[in-house]
Amino acid sequence: MVELVSISDSSLSAQISAAGAELQRLQDGNGADLLWNGDPAVWAGRAPLLFPLVGETKGKQIKVDGTLYDIPRHGVARTSRFALVAAERAHCTWRLDASDATRRQYPFEFRLDVPYRVEGGALHITAEVTNRGDGTMPASFGFHPALRWPLPYGGAREAYEIVFEHDEPAPVRRLANNLLSPVAHPTPVAGRRLALQDGLFRDDALIFDELRSRALTYGAPGHRSLRVTFPDMPQLGLWTKPGAGYLCIEPWQGYASPETFDGELADKPGMVAIAPGATRRFGMSIALQG
């Protein structure tokens, strides 16, 4: 079984693992690292894929047709082994099919294909979720890449910012006991700009559940930056451990269960309904800019 695949073009290279189909390394054409290294003393993740849940559910359980199933935070994909179905110089595709192990946690017949492609200084990641069962399948999906903070292009860590595609005046949400708190907090975004500082993350992630933008720029003014686009993803999480050398920029479809929610999975806020035989696609890109 193939454990690791490398793809590249003249300006970008990436390595993807069979474990979770997770991006392990992202480098520019000069070999500079753009992705967190997964130091287990800080956080062992690099860019996990979140399926069929984003975040946690009450009691780490879901209810399907009245039956409860134990399922970990962020679902089953990140702890599963994917099969390699295609690999060429600049792209590869990984696949996870429903199994006895996944059915014990998420009782649906799914296929999850994850193509990765590098082209023109950008990494494109797509998740294709297919319902292979006879009934409607509720699902969420999220990306979770940990980008270096600071990037290897200069600029003090405290100078880093996110510039959104549009103004973001809506309140942000927070987690309480790993579930979505009902409290709405004033946005820390000034117009389109979010000045990054560790204090933003002392209470865990910033959650944008009423996001206008589907693209943002991440970096320090006057230095090369990254452009992150996510046309299919209506929510966004930003997270780090204060003082760590990464910022997770996480486009989501869905989010953690509200604190009071314990209903059917199909009714959980943020889920999408996939009809029998249908495929739902989610995507994001990380591009060099400047």
Side-chain angles (χ1 to χ4, degrees), residues 58-76:
K58 194 171 185 178
K60 294 186 179 179
Q61 293 181 318
I62 57 173
K63 185 186 296 182
V64 179
D65 295 333
T67 299
L68 293 175
Y69 298 83
D70 294 329
I71 189 168
R73 181 187 304 178
H74 298 320
V76 303

Side-chain angles (χ1 to χ4, degrees), residues 123-188:
L123 172 68
H124 304 280
I125 315 170
T126 306
E128 302 171 348
V129 181
T130 300
N131 180 358
R132 305 178 77 193
D134 298 327
T136 300
M137 183 175 78
S140 285
F141 195 89
F143 299 96
H144 200 311
L147 302 172
R148 298 267 176 161
W149 181 17
L151 292 168
Y153 303 124
R157 190 173 186 273
E158 57 270 21
Y160 271 67
E161 63 181 12
I162 283 176
V163 180
F164 288 94
E165 177 185 29
H166 302 298
D167 287 355
E168 295 293 349
V172 297
R173 306 289 289 279
R174 294 284 193 175
L175 298 176
N177 298 315
N178 294 320
L179 300 176
L180 191 71
S181 168
V183 179
H185 298 267
T187 180

Side-chain angles (χ1 to χ4, degrees), residues 151-156 159-160 217-226 289-290:
L151 292 168
Y153 303 124
Y160 271 67
T217 300
Y218 164 64
H223 299 272
R224 201 174 195 191
S225 59
L226 297 179
Q289 185 167 279

Side-chain angles (χ1 to χ4, degrees), residues 51-52 62 69-71 75-77 79-81 96-110:
F51 171 82
I62 57 173
Y69 298 83
D70 294 329
I71 189 168
V76 303
T79 57
S80 298
R81 299 198 69 78
L96 178 67
D97 283 321
S99 65
D100 289 344
T102 66
R103 292 182 197 103
R104 285 192 290 270
Q105 301 170 85
Y106 176 66
F108 295 95
E109 297 301 313
F110 69 85

Side-chain angles (χ1 to χ4, degrees), residues 2 57 81-82 114 137 149 201 209 227 230 261 267 276 286:
V2 175
T57 54
R81 299 198 69 78
F82 283 63
V114 186
M137 183 175 78
W149 181 17
F201 307 104
D209 63 334
R227 181 75 169 170
F230 40 97
F261 180 81
D267 298 325
I286 302 170

